Amino acid sequence: MSLYEKLLERAEVGHPITIGLVGAGQMGTGLVSQVAGLPWFDVAGIADIDLDRARAAYRLAGVPDAEVEVVDDLPQAERARAAGVRIVTRSAELLAQVPGSEVIVEATGAPEVGAIVAEAAIQGGHHVVMLNVEADVTVGRALKRMADAAGVVYSTSAGDEYAPAKELVEFARILGFTVVCAGKGKNNPLDRTATPETVAERAAQLGTNPWMLASFVDGTKTAVEMTCLANATGLVPDVRGMHGPQASVQDLPRLFRPREDGGILSRTGVVDYAIGVAPGVFCVIESDNEVVAREMRYLGMGEGPYWVLFRPYHLTSLETAISVATAAIYHEATIAPGPKPVGEAIAVAKRDLKAGERLDKMGGWTYYALAERADVAAAEDLLPAGLAEGCVLTADVPMGEPIHRSAVEPNEGTRLYQLRRLQEAQDAASSAPLSAAIIPEGAGRHG
């Protein structure tokens, strides 16, 4: 029975999938409006520090104010839910404790909040879907292990580029193609120096948060997303920061191939991005089977032996419901990190930084992120971008240089930092060597 048929079946017996949403910003509000009229979903509660924003998310989705109650504690929340009333609260941890919500969706984009919410949800016996890739690339393996032990699902969300790109990778692998490169189109021209101030006017025009827009423009979001894809697939960044060429869809299989075949890659089995093909995702594939190559040419896929699979859209939070349903019905993740570290999003100085400065958050004035191989980041003691916020520099760092862990006083009081330490201890205890997790596809053919 298909996923859609199973959802219809649940709707027919009056048993919708109940969702608790943390974060009623642009992404969270989009999700609520997308599913509010569907009988197989029920957004049971929303947590946001701004109660008016949480109420507005329901209101925009057509839910009357009379059917929404503000709650401050667990007994109040349980009574409201027993009466069939939707709840709003400032406490994400409270929402994660309320019985009955099958899936908690974390949509704040704040790594610390994401770590706290995901852990609380797992401990409360809920499946977790992360619209918070920043938390995932920082502590996703630790959270996945917790979820596995608790018998619930930990997943990042369908709709953001890493998820549909992973679908293309799996499609190709199932059919026996070699995956040469998978990635995304970057939506904004790249400006590593972008700050909330420099993008403020455009952010106002788009109706979006200037910090978030700056993280898109400076490349941080792309680095984080492709790190997520790397950790889920075993594909690696070819070079620090990836290549990111300007390209059309037709250019992708010509550019993303090994150098000895006229491309820009030193290896196959990599993650990357291209400017000019947004909002799509892609997977460049190869086959040395002449029968397959002939069939690909017949199907209009090009001369080969490199071809591109391309999906020209991704619907961000509007697709999150797919991950919610997959977790609740099939008990499977849409995309989640594998057991070994593969990629790392590292922090790089956005300007000349001085000892004593405190690092701000992603999209700010002090650093941007680049995608790097996890083994390289570990060997060079590079600071994960997800851990950077709140760290105090103990040494000067020139503009454009990576920030080393030894050059900061870490923000040890955060749950994110504590989970990262746990994750690294778990990684170190794993019996499989790191090198086994990062051997690129096709290494035997292209080195």
Side-chain angles (χ1 to χ4, degrees):
M1 187 180 291
S2 72
L3 186 61
Y4 177 60
E5 289 169 331
K6 286 183 175 290
L7 289 170
L8 288 174
E9 185 177 67
R10 289 190 61 149
E12 288 171 0
V13 298
H15 184 42
I17 298 171
T18 50
I19 301 169
L21 171 67
V22 180
Q26 179 181 351
M27 296 297 178
T29 297
L31 170 63
V32 176
S33 290
Q34 183 71 21
V35 305
L38 302 176
W40 44 83
F41 293 113
D42 175 20
V43 182
I46 301 175
D48 197 287
I49 56 174
D50 186 340
L51 290 177
D52 290 337
R53 185 163 58 187
R55 282 185 171 277
Y58 272 131
R59 197 176 297 124
L60 288 168
V63 179
D65 287 350
E67 296 180 11
V68 179
E69 180 179 339
V70 177
V71 299
D72 299 313
D73 56 46
L74 188 56
Q76 188 182 8
E78 291 174 332
R79 288 193 298 270
R81 288 303 300 149
V85 176
R86 294 175 174 88
I87 62 174
V88 296
T89 178
R90 288 189 177 91
S91 172
E93 291 179 272
L94 170 60
L95 184 65
Q97 294 167 5
V98 177
S101 290
E102 290 179 73
V103 183
I104 300 296
V105 176
E106 211 296 329
T108 66
E112 170 73 356
V113 176
I116 292 171
V117 170
E119 184 176 19
I122 292 166
Q123 292 173 346
H126 307 292
H127 303 304
V128 178
V129 173
M130 301 289 279
L131 262 168
N132 189 331
V133 69
E134 295 82 1
D136 176 77
V137 300
T138 310
V139 294
R141 284 189 305 285
L143 294 171
K144 172 75 163 53
R145 290 165 180 144
M146 281 184 197
D148 289 347
V152 297
V153 173
Y154 170 86
S155 178
T156 41
S157 176
D160 253 335
E161 288 100 328
Y162 40 83
K166 174 180 174 278
E167 290 178 2
L168 294 179
V169 170
E170 292 193 340
F171 175 86
R173 285 173 168 171
I174 289 168
L175 296 179
F177 289 100
T178 296
V179 174
V180 178
C181 177
K184 59 167 280 185
K186 189 178 184 306
N187 294 304
N188 303 277
L190 181 63
D191 177 6
R192 298 292 188 196
T193 65
T195 68
E197 185 177 33
T198 63
V199 302
E201 183 177 350
R202 186 170 173 217
Q205 293 170 351
L206 296 172
T208 193
N209 184 309
W211 286 80
M212 182 174 71
L213 181 58
S215 75
F216 293 165
V217 175
D218 72 12
T220 292
K221 193 72 169 182
T222 293
V224 168
E225 290 172 338
M226 293 301 93
T227 298
C228 174
L229 180 62
N231 286 327
T233 61
L235 305 174
V236 298
D238 185 38
V239 295
R240 179 172 296 173
M242 304 175 289
H243 293 282
Q246 185 80 33
S248 67
V249 175
Q250 293 73 26
D251 291 329
L252 296 174
R254 176 180 59 81
L255 292 169
F256 290 119
R257 64 172 68 185
R259 292 191 191 113
E260 59 263 36
D261 288 343
I264 62 175
L265 302 179
S266 65
R267 61 171 69 198
T268 61
V270 306
V271 293
D272 218 300
Y273 70 97
I275 298 171
V277 296
V281 298
F282 63 87
C283 181
V284 175
I285 59 175
E286 177 192 10
S287 175
D288 56 7
N289 184 306
E290 182 50 40
V291 175
V292 171
R294 185 169 63 245
E295 191 72 5
M296 292 290 275
R297 289 192 291 269
Y298 171 76
L299 294 169
M301 294 296 291
E303 288 301 308
Y306 299 95
W307 301 275
V308 63
L309 306 175
F310 184 72
R311 176 176 157 175
Y313 65 92
H314 67 99
L315 305 184
T316 59
S317 63
L318 303 184
E319 292 186 53
T320 300
I322 299 291
S323 294
V324 169
T326 300
I329 292 175
Y330 292 141
H331 286 212
E332 294 178 356
T334 300
I335 177 171
K340 298 296 295 182
V342 176
E344 189 80 84
I346 63 168
V348 178
K350 188 173 282 190
R351 55 173 173 77
D352 289 338
L353 301 175
K354 299 297 182 183
E357 286 194 68
R358 185 178 298 275
L359 300 178
D360 54 14
K361 63 183 181 180
M362 294 184 190
W365 282 263
T366 55
Y367 64 94
Y368 57 87
L370 292 179
E372 178 57 278
R373 284 174 43 173
D375 61 336
V376 173
E380 297 185 12
D381 192 37
L382 304 181
L383 178 66
L387 294 182
E389 182 178 352
C391 290
V392 177
L393 290 168
T394 58
D396 296 350
V397 183
M399 179 179 178
E401 289 296 312
I403 302 172
H404 294 265
R405 285 187 170 193
S406 59
V408 301
E409 293 177 0
N411 197 0
E412 295 183 357
T414 66
R415 188 56 185 151
L416 190 75
Y417 179 83
Q418 294 157 7
L419 284 173
R420 178 66 185 218
R421 289 191 66 181
L422 171 65
Q423 177 175 281
E424 290 176 352
Q426 292 170 334
D427 291 342
S430 174
S431 59
L434 178 61
S435 59
I438 60 171
I439 296 173
E441 292 195 46
R445 298 184 57 224
H446 294 292

